Amino acid sequence: MRPINGDDVTEAVAGATAVLRAAVDRDWKAVPAGALEWDCHTTAVHVADDLIAYAANLAGRAQDAYVPFELTLDGGTDNSGLLHVIETTGALLAAAVRTAPPGVRGFHPYPFRSADAEGFAAMGIAEVLLHTHDMALGLGLAYEPPAGLVESLLACLFPHVQPGPAPWPTLLWATGRGELPDRAPVTEWRWNNNLVIPAERVTLTGVRPAAARDLRLGGDGGFGWLDGGPYEGTRDAAGMLVKAYEAGVHRPEFGVFVLVRHEDGRAIGGIGFHGVPDEDGRVEIGYDLVEGARGQGYATEALRALADWALARDDVSSVFATVDRDNTASQAVVGRAGFTQVSGEGEEFAYELRR
């Protein structure tokens, strides 16, 4: 798996239109799109509409709703013309993704009301792949996208889904279009864009499985790090995220976040949860900073932001952190963030913040 980019949008659209072009002489309005309630023509228009909407929301920096417009075909547009529209809207989304500055996000409702360039690229690709499958099924065409692309798509938009024995059947199962052995049928689903939590001087940016894998292997995870970063704790946490994803127990909202500084866009540290809340609603937080960013209050700011986000949830009653006995700087961080020391035995002190 690897991060999704604009070239992937181009590849997905090219593969889909090549398959559908074999049936341009059919009446798409008379052919159901697989198990959908739509016909193939309506489904194809929907794909083009989503592609241009995603491009617009990203390029237009939409904040609270979709950019208010809708795609309408000229009267008399045939199937070849419709495929040209899909190619064109796909090219616009690919261009918007390639040119979006780092950190830019636009509105999308699921699940955290925004998406970044990678998220919009992945959603566009998902629309293309899944609805081409639907149309191909109705038209009697063979279609299966590249396994590597689907693997990356699953990791990006379905980080809560355990990878299956093959990517394409797993994606079809995860979207209610197929079956997998030993897994219950899916009747409701949503894809999952990464969570970002804003703070005063930094943004806590949720790390996706592909970025976590790169961090674990010694890469930068797609972030521009301050000299000396990322710190080893961030790499270790990224490795645990990958293991959780592979085991199918990863919950993205309780994962790992990179601290991105507003003033220069540099990544200065990592923060995140050691797992999901326990049966009592307790969840543990860990954090680290690149040496050059220490002593400036960033860790305290990030810890407060993440703790406040967690305690606003119904499934979290308390947040705790453990700090080495000799780490007085980190002890000061949790104290400034409002945590209270609850134990001081052994080599670590424990601190807690309750709702």
Side-chain angles (χ1 to χ4, degrees):
M1 59 182 171
R2 57 172 178 73
I4 298 286
N5 58 42
D7 291 343
D8 295 320
V9 177
T10 302
E11 178 185 7
V13 170
T17 54
V19 168
L20 295 173
R21 192 161 282 111
V24 291
D25 58 338
R26 301 274 299 277
D27 182 0
W28 288 7
K29 293 182 179 180
V31 180
L36 301 183
E37 296 180 356
W38 297 336
D39 58 51
C40 287
H41 181 272
T42 301
T43 304
V45 173
H46 169 79
V47 170
D49 197 32
D50 275 346
L51 291 171
I52 191 62
Y54 294 158
N57 273 24
L58 178 60
R61 316 292 195 265
Q63 295 301 306
D64 300 312
Y66 284 104
V67 177
F69 76 98
E70 186 174 359
L71 178 133
T72 302
L73 297 181
D74 287 345
T77 300
D78 60 11
N79 292 335
S80 293
L82 179 50
L83 290 180
H84 190 197
V85 172
I86 291 175
E87 290 170 331
T88 302
T89 53
L92 291 172
L93 175 58
V97 168
R98 293 186 186 108
T99 57
V104 165
R105 300 182 74 86
F107 173 80
H108 190 274
Y110 305 120
F112 304 117
R113 298 187 65 79
S114 74
D116 60 6
E118 182 177 358
F120 278 114
M123 290 188 292
I125 291 168
E127 295 286 352
V128 170
L129 302 191
L130 293 170
H131 287 315
T132 298
H133 162 80
D134 299 331
M135 290 183 281
L137 195 61
L139 293 165
L141 303 172
Y143 174 69
E144 181 170 340
L149 178 59
V150 180
E151 179 185 41
S152 296
L153 181 65
L154 281 165
C156 183
L157 291 184
F158 296 86
H160 53 293
V161 171
Q162 183 177 19
W168 183 231
T170 302
L171 180 61
L172 294 178
W173 167 81
T175 56
R177 289 172 166 82
E179 299 180 355
L180 282 182
D182 303 320
R183 299 201 194 186
V186 172
T187 56
E188 294 184 7
W189 60 274
R190 295 289 187 192
W191 43 54
N192 200 314
N193 280 296
N194 68 327
L195 172 65
V196 295
I197 301 173
E200 183 180 352
R201 296 176 297 161
V202 296
T203 295
L204 285 61
T205 303
V207 176
R208 296 182 172 96
R213 180 178 181 272
D214 184 60
L215 285 167
R216 183 190 67 178
L217 295 176
D220 60 15
F223 296 92
W225 288 87
L226 196 66
D227 291 345
Y231 199 64
E232 195 59 34
T234 298
R235 296 198 187 279
D236 292 342
M240 295 303 295
L241 188 159
V242 173
K243 289 181 180 179
Y245 170 63
E246 292 173 345
V249 297
H250 177 48
R251 286 179 63 185
E253 62 270 37
F254 288 106
V256 179
F257 300 81
V258 167
L259 310 184
V260 180
R261 192 162 58 185
H262 295 167
E263 67 180 50
D264 56 7
R266 304 299 293 275
I268 61 171
I271 192 169
F273 300 97
H274 289 197
V276 300
D278 64 18
E279 61 274 11
D280 297 319
R282 298 175 73 241
V283 65
E284 184 175 2
I285 288 179
Y287 53 88
D288 63 31
L289 284 182
V290 175
E291 289 189 13
R294 296 175 187 173
Q296 302 172 57
Y298 291 120
T300 299
E301 181 181 323
L303 182 57
R304 283 174 178 162
L306 190 58
D308 287 348
W309 177 88
L311 291 172
R313 296 174 57 93
D314 292 337
D315 55 353
V316 177
S317 60
S318 67
V319 178
F320 71 99
T322 56
V323 182
D324 290 343
R325 178 181 291 273
D326 297 332
N327 192 347
T328 56
S330 191
Q331 291 167 25
V333 167
V334 294
R336 289 193 298 269
F339 284 63
T340 300
Q341 185 176 341
V342 293
S343 72
E345 300 178 359
E347 297 300 317
E348 292 182 330
F349 293 160
Y351 297 81
E352 188 173 36
L353 182 63
R354 301 189 65 84
R355 184 185 300 163

